[in-house]
Amino acid sequence: MEERKIPQHVAIILDGNGRWAKAKGMPRNYGHMQGAKAVENILFDADELGIKYLTVYAFSTENWNRPQAEVAALMKILEQYLKSSIKKSMKNNVRCRVIGERSKLSPAIQAAVNDLEEATKNNTGLTFTIAINYGSRDEITRAVRKVAKRVQNGELDADSITEEDINNSLDTGFMPDPDLMIRTCGEQRVSNFLLWQLAYTEFYYTDIAWPDFDRNELEKAIDAYNHRTRRFGGLKKGEE
Ligand code: IPE
Ligand code: IPE
Ligand code: MG
């Protein structure tokens, strides 16, 4: 039997916290609390399985449109998560990063993000990235601004802008593109997540709601990934 391939970078749209809670007769925010626990567990499992980059979509630029009380609860959970992550990340050699537009986040969350990134920056194990106030269109717009400024300053010639210039100007410039993208709870859309970076990523959808997504479910996703024939527009040796 061929050895199982472990995707280097797994990105997850963790969806269904609200529906999961509702099905149990509980408030949506209970689902978000359980969802945060599921993130903590899956991070540990991903590390054990040999995944090098794990990226999770925690709060989108569109999620501000939710009821104010839900946004406040999500922000509180995120703040606590970021703060409690320092100790665990140091113990497990995890490097944490946050992508998304930060200026709209509260000063307390911005400080927690900075503290976490700073404390874990020299860790050499799994890179764990949390997308907060992240929207791919917003990210690309900000990247275009950065590149335009370089052109304006005379550092770069407009005609010689490369894909690499754009890529390096994205929030994700420090990591490789995802190999596998997982979305839980039935929806099959990207919801403004990593539009540029998912160009050749394999997609996996499951009906399992995020709070129930565990190691067994992650292994199922990896098994499905192992049955895919990856192509990047060309042909493989022997296919010609
Ligand atoms: C995912 O669960 C968490 C966030 C988007 C913040 P949802 O809150 O989207 O739950 P559903 O999709 O409404 O069930
Ligand atoms: C996507 O989930 C955003 C996050 C997981 C943070 P949503 O639940 O917000 O997406 P839509 O509204 O179903 O597309
Ligand atoms: Mg949802």
Side-chain angles (χ1 to χ4, degrees):
M1 215 179 97
E2 260 187 64
E3 211 190 312
R4 183 166 73 157
K5 289 189 299 289
I6 298 296
Q8 176 182 218
H9 182 179
V10 176
I12 307 180
I13 300 178
L14 36 98
D15 198 20
N17 291 349
R19 280 166 281 167
W20 178 87
K22 200 173 167 219
K24 292 190 150 37
M26 298 294 281
R28 289 179 59 83
N29 292 340
Y30 173 70
H32 295 316
M33 272 158 46
Q34 294 308 116
K37 286 188 190 162
V39 172
E40 204 172 299
N41 293 334
I42 218 69
L43 171 59
F44 190 68
D45 296 328
D47 195 18
E48 272 193 357
L49 287 166
I51 291 165
K52 297 289 178 222
Y53 296 84
L54 180 72
T55 302
V56 299
Y57 201 8
F59 192 92
S60 74
T61 47
E62 287 74 29
N63 286 149
W64 297 106
N65 298 325
R66 299 213 176 169
Q68 198 265 328
E70 182 170 343
V71 170
L74 280 165
M75 288 298 150
K76 200 74 226 161
I77 291 168
L78 276 167
E79 189 182 330
Q80 278 163 0
Y81 190 92
L82 293 164
K83 285 181 177 161
S84 68
S85 284
I86 295 189
K87 219 169 142 187
K88 287 179 202 117
S89 301
M90 295 316 288
K91 197 171 148 224
N92 296 302
N93 194 23
V94 170
R95 175 172 72 134
C96 293
R97 297 293 303 255
V98 170
I99 55 171
E101 212 282 304
R102 295 185 192 183
S103 68
K104 214 178 160 186
L105 302 173
S106 74
I109 294 190
Q110 289 188 43
V113 167
N114 289 338
D115 289 350
L116 178 61
E117 287 189 330
E118 194 52 34
T120 63
K121 70 178 182 198
N122 294 323
N123 287 350
T124 54
L126 182 144
T127 297
F128 176 52
T129 302
I130 315 173
I132 307 177
N133 189 27
Y134 176 88
S136 198
R137 288 182 171 180
D138 173 68
E139 177 194 37
I140 292 169
T141 305
R142 286 185 288 105
V144 168
R145 277 191 209 123
K146 279 185 219 162
V147 174
K149 277 194 183 125
R150 288 173 60 202
V151 172
Q152 207 170 31
N153 295 339
E155 277 170 54
L156 190 65
D157 178 33
D159 287 323
S160 48
I161 295 170
T162 60
E163 288 190 7
E164 203 186 351
D165 291 321
I166 308 280
N167 199 56
N168 293 341
S169 304
L170 295 170
D171 296 351
T172 52
F174 62 92
M175 60 178 167
D177 290 341
D179 300 292
L180 174 64
M181 196 283 283
I182 298 171
R183 182 168 186 151
T184 58
C185 213
E187 307 305 332
Q188 302 193 354
R189 53 177 172 263
V190 262
S191 301
N192 205 8
F193 190 45
L194 303 174
L195 300 179
W196 168 283
Q197 298 87 340
L198 294 176
Y200 273 99
T201 302
E202 296 291 331
F203 288 10
Y204 176 84
Y205 298 102
T206 171
D207 287 335
I208 300 284
W210 176 251
D212 287 334
F213 192 92
D214 57 11
R215 186 186 178 121
N216 185 39
E217 295 300 329
L218 179 60
E219 300 234 20
K220 277 195 223 166
I222 293 173
D223 287 345
Y225 173 80
N226 272 264
H227 287 96
R228 306 281 174 87
T229 303
R230 290 198 82 183
R231 273 193 177 178
F232 299 87
L235 296 176
K236 289 218 169 80
K237 263 210 180 78
E239 281 186 329
E240 304 96 332

